[in-house]
Amino acid sequence: QKEVEQDPGPLSVPEGAIVSLNCTYSNSAFQYFMWYRQYSRKGPELLMYTYSSGNKEDGRFTAQVDKSSKYISLFIRDSQPSDSATYLCAMSQGAQKLVFGQGTRLTINP
Amino acid sequence: DSGVTQTPKHLITATGQRVTLRCSPRSGDLSVYWYQQSLDQGLQFLIQYYNGEERAKGNILERFSAQQFPDLHSELNLSSLELGDSALYFCASSVSPPNEQFFGPGTRLTVL
């Protein structure tokens, strides 16, 4: 079993929809949770960085962490075609390495 | 633009050869991380350096080695290359762990 599980999709939604992306994990020691966006053949771009449980909002993006369920989510409101990319969740224990999910390929249709 | 630079962008070489990938971290960042991304394995952590010292090792093969220099740039050396080493290699940097990691544009390695 992988430490971090993420549905690879693909996920296709119409423009303007609310998108929900999720990851589950098995290591209860993870404390730092991140979401990255990766366009084809480009480097991952950090979208959200959260510590421990709770919600964090940045513009159209909201990240949620539920440590009791070992479950994290990223919501994208008013989705745009430019949001079409692969979204990677990542997490770490303190200063340890980042462990990534497989990524979810998202397409926003105009 | 994350501020992390990597050279070269593309590298095509033959099996058995040796290559060097270079990374310059963001200004002020002391920690450098190397990752490998292949289609079937996703993003895999290879190795981490902090201010010139190795801090953590991941799934890095013995044929691979890295170092971080006094000016904080880092190099990843891949030797005795095999077809399976073809992948995207990313460098990331942070001020210090566990701060946010910012990724470079990557080096695409093709081994023929």
Side-chain angles (χ1 to χ4, degrees), chain A residues 36 38 41 43-44 46 49 94, chain B residues 37 90 98 100-101 103-104 108:
Chain A
Y36 285 85
Q38 186 176 25
R41 303 189 177 202
L46 182 64
Y49 176 89
Chain B
Q37 187 176 39
F90 290 106
E100 301 96 314
Q101 293 185 27
F103 281 74
R108 178 170 295 275

Side-chain angles (χ1 to χ4, degrees), chain A residues 13-103:
Chain A
V13 301
E15 183 176 354
I18 296 175
V19 177
S20 173
L21 303 166
N22 312 293
C23 288
T24 59
Y25 61 95
S26 58
N27 187 346
S28 58
F30 285 142
Q31 296 176 291
Y32 298 88
F33 304 90
M34 284 135 273
W35 285 95
Y36 285 85
R37 176 174 64 193
Q38 186 176 25
Y39 293 111
S40 182
R41 303 189 177 202
K42 302 293 185 183
E45 173 193 1
L46 182 64
L47 289 176
M48 302 290 280
Y49 176 89
T50 55
Y51 170 71
S52 195
S53 285
N55 295 356
K56 183 175 182 179
E57 187 173 321
D58 184 0
R60 296 185 295 112
F61 299 91
T62 299
Q64 289 185 349
V65 175
D66 182 349
K67 292 191 70 178
S68 63
S69 301
K70 298 192 183 70
Y71 187 87
I72 70 171
S73 301
L74 178 71
F75 297 94
I76 307 174
R77 291 182 299 281
D78 187 25
S79 56
Q80 305 294 313
S82 58
D83 294 328
S84 298
T86 296
Y87 289 79
L88 299 152
C89 64
M91 46 201 81
S92 71
Q93 300 174 225
Q96 303 300 312
K97 64 179 183 179
L98 283 183
V99 180
F100 282 85
Q102 281 291 101

Side-chain angles (χ1 to χ4, degrees), chain B residues 57-110:
Chain B
K57 265 187 175 181
N59 302 321
I60 187 166
L61 300 171
E62 285 192 12
R63 301 182 286 109
F64 296 0
S65 65
Q67 55 183 325
Q68 186 179 27
F69 295 86
D71 67 351
L72 302 177
H73 91 272
S74 178
E75 292 181 356
L76 179 66
N77 300 296
L78 315 177
S79 61
S80 302
L81 286 167
E82 302 175 359
L83 296 178
D85 297 327
S86 295
L88 273 166
Y89 291 85
F90 290 106
C91 166
S93 74
S94 70
V95 173
S96 64
N99 295 79
E100 301 96 314
Q101 293 185 27
F102 296 90
F103 281 74
T107 293
R108 178 170 295 275
L109 174 66
T110 302

Side-chain angles (χ1 to χ4, degrees), chain B residues 1-5 23-32 72 92-95 99-103:
Chain B
D1 185 354
S2 67
V4 179
T5 60
C23 167
S24 292
R26 295 186 318 159
S27 177
D29 285 359
L30 299 178
S31 202
V32 169
L72 302 177
S93 74
S94 70
V95 173
N99 295 79
E100 301 96 314
Q101 293 185 27
F102 296 90
F103 281 74

